[in-house]
Amino acid sequence: MKRTYLGEFEEIVLLMVAGMDGEAYGVGITHKLNEETDRSVRLNQVHAALHRLQEKGMVASRLGDPTPERGGRRKLLFTVTAYGYRTLQEIKAVRAQLWSTVPITPKLATSL
């Protein structure tokens, strides 16, 4: 199977979905991203990334139960697919391999 490459933001969103274990939704991912990465992320950016990940087959969505807090509306919940999880594992392995080549005390540039 041909490997699908992810941008940094898509990878982070996919990791968030995996970490939320079937309870990931747009607003929750946005809040968690803002807290965990110290980035200023907007909901529309998260929705766009989720859409791309769904098109690539890395996440699946389902409607959650209606809740009184949402006025009876249902959340669109996301879960990582087997393909998405496998992709995360491959990315992790590649990064670990690359990090293993970096010396403990690398020669750093002294000026730009």
Side-chain angles (χ1 to χ4, degrees):
M1 179 181 267
K2 186 178 133 187
R3 179 152 186 247
T4 301
Y5 293 91
L6 296 178
E8 178 198 19
F9 189 69
E10 286 179 330
E11 180 184 345
I12 291 170
V13 170
L14 187 57
L15 280 167
M16 290 284 172
V17 172
M20 295 173 92
D21 199 26
E23 297 299 317
Y25 65 103
V27 173
I29 295 168
T30 303
H31 288 307
K32 190 165 173 124
L33 269 169
N34 286 330
E35 291 169 14
E36 299 287 330
T37 65
D38 204 27
R39 286 182 168 189
S40 179
V41 177
R42 293 185 316 272
L43 181 59
N44 67 319
Q45 294 170 305
V46 171
H47 279 164
L50 288 168
H51 180 71
R52 289 190 304 271
L53 290 167
Q54 195 161 20
E55 283 183 336
K56 293 176 182 181
M58 295 187 185
V59 298
S61 64
R62 65 177 173 77
L63 286 173
D65 294 328
T67 61
E69 301 86 29
R70 295 176 47 84
R73 294 187 343 231
R74 299 159 60 147
K75 292 179 186 174
L76 187 60
L77 301 172
F78 291 88
T79 308
V80 174
T81 63
Y83 176 54
Y85 187 75
R86 192 169 54 249
T87 299
L88 285 174
Q89 293 293 76
E90 289 172 5
I91 291 169
K92 182 179 177 182
V94 167
R95 288 183 189 268
Q97 169 58 33
L98 291 172
W99 272 106
S100 73
T101 66
V102 177
I104 293 172
T105 53
K107 296 176 186 169
L108 303 174
T110 56
S111 65
L112 297 174

